[in-house]
């Protein structure tokens, strides 16, 4: 099985921690993965779309961190990145796990660094389900 992982560079320390936990889970699962870095959470859906269109992956994972600031921008980025990730899944038919954190501060984000591993587990579970259903329906 091959996963595609798109990860944001904005909020780099948090995103690096998410990526580290995702890599560890990928190694535990014994699957292959390719990684693409993008500037921020809003760029994740487009990178995921390109990865889905390649036909190389059985599932995709989005990793990023949107940390509340003093402006409305937080709500826009949080909502639109999540919507974009879901759109890619629905448009492509590929499982896409959303590992984009939306937190009030960095401490909350670091406390959730294992969400990278969790997103990998979700992507793998959904890819397996897709395989099972495909076999069932043949």
């Amino acid at each position: 099985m091959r996963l595609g992982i798109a990860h944001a560079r904005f909020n780099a320390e948090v995103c690096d921690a998410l990526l580290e936990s995702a890599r560890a889970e990928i190694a535990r699962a014994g699957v292959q993965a390719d990684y693409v870095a993008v500037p921020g959470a809003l760029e994740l859906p487009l990178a995921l779309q390109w990865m889905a269109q390649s036909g190389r992956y059985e599932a995709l994972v989005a990793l990023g961190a949107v940390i509340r600031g003093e402006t409305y921008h937080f709500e826009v980025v949080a909502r639109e990145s999540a919507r974009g990730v879901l759109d890619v899944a629905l448009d492509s038919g590929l499982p896409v796990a959303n590992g984009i954190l939306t937190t009030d501060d960095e401490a909350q984000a670091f406390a959730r660094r294992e969400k990278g591993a969790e997103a990998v587990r979700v992507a793998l579970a959904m890819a397996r389900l897709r395989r099972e259903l495909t076999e069932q329906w043949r």
Side-chain angles (χ1 to χ4, degrees):
M1 187 174 301
R2 179 174 292 280
L3 297 180
I5 313 292
H7 58 95
R9 291 189 301 259
F10 196 79
N11 294 316
E13 290 180 19
V14 173
C15 290
D16 288 348
L18 285 168
L19 186 57
E20 183 180 318
S21 78
R23 285 183 191 271
E25 188 63 29
I26 288 164
R28 276 191 290 281
V31 298
Q32 301 292 315
D34 294 327
Y35 301 87
V36 173
V38 299
L42 283 176
E43 290 75 35
L44 286 167
L46 184 56
L48 291 166
Q49 183 182 54
W50 294 335
M51 294 173 92
Q53 290 169 347
S54 76
R56 295 178 43 108
Y57 306 103
E58 292 183 71
L60 302 171
V61 175
L63 300 174
V66 184
I67 299 172
R68 187 176 302 278
E70 297 178 6
T71 69
Y72 181 71
H73 188 67
F74 168 85
E75 283 81 7
V76 171
V77 175
R79 183 177 27 262
E80 295 304 320
S81 63
R83 184 197 54 80
V85 168
L86 181 59
D87 284 351
V88 171
L90 295 174
D91 291 346
S92 70
L94 273 181
V96 183
N98 186 343
I100 304 171
L101 301 178
T102 53
T103 63
D104 287 327
D105 55 44
E106 280 189 6
Q108 288 178 348
F110 277 114
R112 290 160 178 76
R113 70 174 138 274
E114 287 304 312
K115 293 292 184 179
E118 184 179 315
V120 169
R121 288 191 294 273
V122 167
L124 291 172
M126 291 302 291
R128 288 184 193 106
L129 176 60
R130 184 176 188 220
R131 273 187 188 173
E132 289 171 16
L133 293 174
T134 300
E135 289 298 317
Q136 219 175 54
W137 295 334
R138 281 187 185 179

